[in-house]
Amino acid sequence: HIAVDGSGGNETDRAAWAFNVVAEFVDGTQSCLGFAAGVLDAAHASGFDVGHDANTVGAAELAAQLWGCLWAIQFLGKRSHVQVVFRYDSMYAASMAQSLARPSVHRRLVSILAGVIHALRQLACVTFHHVKSHDGHPRNELADVAALAASKGVFDWPRSLVYLVRP
């Protein structure tokens, strides 16, 4: 399960993204594999530019899904029977990621994300599950707190990436 969230993008906080990964095994046990968080690049000058038009919370939500997908592709490496479940609270970002709506902004980012999701679907069964924001869902709350911390400068991508490991 990959929980994704975005935060900030206002006068006081930078737009930031986060995702966390919890593996669920056949016997029902779970293991937290870690999380990653970072800010959107304001100048579009770094190697971590994700193709967004502006530093908004919507772009941050999309970026969280993109980085989560890229992590899953790297983690899986080859076709498997693993089910990858994205847990999200942004209906906007999920609609864009699943190509259920057409973007009016962040077209490049949405195009990149759609391609990456297509690639991930070649390796695993990918589903999306909506969770209500700020409703006590532990995975969503962790992603929310990590994105908020990144927006305030606590995390500095990529140097403070919490290492995600294989179970």
Side-chain angles (χ1 to χ4, degrees), residues 19-160:
F19 73 89
N20 63 73
V21 181
V22 175
E24 189 171 301
F25 301 100
V26 177
D27 65 3
T29 60
Q30 298 179 348
S31 177
C32 181
L33 301 184
F35 71 97
V39 296
L40 292 179
D41 184 76
H44 300 283
S46 78
F48 297 103
D49 175 14
V50 294
H52 58 292
D53 296 336
N55 295 324
T56 63
V57 70
E61 295 276 359
L62 291 164
Q65 291 194 14
L66 176 64
W67 288 114
C69 281
L70 289 169
W71 177 85
I73 289 170
Q74 172 268 319
F75 178 81
L76 293 170
K78 63 181 180 178
R79 187 162 188 75
S80 72
H81 296 288
V82 171
Q83 183 175 4
V84 178
V85 180
F86 281 90
R87 298 190 180 274
Y88 63 90
D89 62 12
S90 170
M91 297 295 287
Y92 159 77
S95 294
M96 296 298 148
Q98 297 175 81
S99 301
L100 299 175
R102 300 187 84 198
S104 58
V105 294
H106 311 303
R107 285 187 178 107
R108 206 168 56 123
L109 172 53
V110 170
S111 178
I112 293 167
L113 176 57
V116 170
I117 288 175
H118 179 73
L120 179 57
R121 284 190 164 134
Q122 304 309 304
L123 303 178
C125 176
V126 179
T127 59
F128 290 81
H129 180 77
H130 179 257
V131 295
K132 187 175 177 185
S133 63
H134 309 290
D135 198 34
H137 189 283
R139 295 173 189 151
N140 179 257
E141 293 299 328
L142 174 58
D144 184 52
V145 167
L148 182 61
S151 74
K152 296 183 180 301
V154 174
F155 296 116
D156 182 17
W157 171 265
R159 288 180 296 224
S160 63

